[in-house]
């Protein structure tokens, strides 16, 4: 075998490794994604958790919704998607977050979630008082006002809200929308190449990283 042939064999043998190295270098730690300050264990340890941290009052979160919904239709089977509302330190944000937990508790999240986003960003309503939120909740879900009031002011919603706030503080997430993968790594539209769409490309990259890390255990 002459030198050129030997070189070709070596090149072919190493090419998968070269592709792997290039893929690993596609997104860089500290530039396109970060490690959260304190890892938060996923609720389901059998799945790779993808968490969207969002706020109803955030214009970018509203714009991200159709992009995210498209990604969710092709979500891998080993991935579990969850949402976590952020108050952004605003009184209205706290009302929105508690309404989020009330909608989940009452089993009407799929109706209320787009309704609240639409009321704020498409209809330009303030949605800054409990009266406005109650009226929208009743109108969009069919839940009785007294049932909403009972859930909204109840122990389960308050506990969910407090757990969510504790998780956000532990992970030190101050901006939205942010994606957290497996409670360890985060990325955002400001970090990802390509903005909001690019954020999901980084998410896919981090999902694969999480799979590899699981395989080493």
């Amino acid at each position: 075998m002459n030198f050129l042939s030997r070189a070709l064999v070596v090149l072919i043998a190493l090419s998968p490794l070269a592709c792997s190295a290039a893929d690993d270098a596609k997104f860089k730690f500290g530039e396109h994604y970060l490690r959260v300050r304190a890892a938060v264990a996923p609720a389901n340890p059998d799945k790779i958790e993808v968490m969207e941290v969002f706020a109803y009052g955030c214009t970018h979160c509203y714009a991200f919704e159709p992009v995210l919904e498209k990604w969710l239709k092709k979500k891998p089977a080993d991935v579990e998607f969850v949402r976590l509302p952020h108050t952004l330190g605003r009184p209205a944000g706290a009302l929105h977050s508690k309404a989020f937990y009330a909608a989940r508790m009452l089993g009407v999240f799929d109706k209320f979630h787009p309704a609240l986003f639409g009321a704020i960003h498409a209809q330009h309503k303030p949605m800054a008082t409990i009266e406005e939120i109650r009226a929208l909740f009743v109108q969009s879900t069919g839940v009785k006002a007294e049932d909403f009031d009972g859930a909204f002011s109840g122990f389960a919603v308050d506990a969910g809200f407090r757990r969510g706030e504790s998780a956000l503080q532990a992970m030190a997430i101050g901006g939205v929308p942010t994606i957290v993968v497996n409670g360890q790594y985060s990325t955002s539209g400001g970090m990802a190449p390509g903005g909001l769409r690019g954020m999901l490309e980084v998410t896919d990259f981090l999902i694969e990283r999480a799979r590899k890390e699981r395989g080493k255990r």
Side-chain angles (χ1 to χ4, degrees), residues 36-211:
V36 299
R37 183 172 64 186
V40 174
N44 185 352
D46 296 326
K47 297 279 190 176
I48 296 169
E49 184 181 85
V50 170
M51 174 191 290
E52 180 208 15
V53 181
F54 76 100
Y56 284 107
C58 167
T59 302
H60 298 296
C61 296
Y62 178 64
F64 186 48
E65 277 292 291
V67 180
L68 178 60
E69 289 298 328
K70 186 176 180 180
W71 180 86
L72 286 173
K73 290 178 181 178
K74 296 184 272 187
K75 175 179 68 66
D78 62 342
V79 170
E80 183 163 286
F81 175 75
V82 298
R83 286 183 168 95
L84 182 61
H86 201 309
T87 70
L88 298 180
R90 300 169 185 169
L95 292 175
H96 299 162
S97 293
K98 288 184 177 180
F100 164 94
Y101 291 107
R104 284 201 340 191
M105 178 184 169
L106 294 169
V108 293
F109 175 78
D110 289 343
K111 294 179 180 179
F112 179 70
H113 182 70
L116 183 53
F117 258 136
I120 295 170
H121 299 284
Q123 301 172 37
H124 308 292
K125 295 180 178 180
M127 302 308 297
T129 68
I130 185 63
E131 290 77 19
E132 289 175 308
I133 292 172
R134 181 193 296 112
L136 177 68
F137 201 101
V138 171
Q139 182 271 324
S140 62
T141 69
V143 169
K144 295 179 180 179
E146 55 267 32
D147 293 334
F148 166 77
D149 288 339
F152 188 88
S153 60
F155 173 79
V157 165
D158 184 63
F161 175 75
R162 290 178 184 276
R163 281 195 300 270
E165 290 298 289
S166 294
L168 291 169
Q169 290 175 15
M171 293 185 291
I173 295 175
V176 290
T178 293
I179 294 286
V180 179
V181 176
N182 234 29
Q184 299 180 70
Y185 301 104
S186 68
T187 187
S188 65
M191 298 184 72
L196 296 178
R197 292 184 184 277
M199 182 162 55
L200 290 173
E201 293 182 16
V202 179
T203 298
D204 289 334
F205 169 84
L206 292 173
I207 289 171
E208 185 56 34
R209 176 172 184 148
R211 287 194 188 108

Side-chain angles (χ1 to χ4, degrees), residues 1-18:
M1 184 180 292
N2 60 33
F3 174 79
L4 182 60
S5 298
R6 287 196 301 272
L8 183 60
V9 169
V10 171
L11 179 61
I12 293 173
L14 290 179
S15 59
L17 297 177

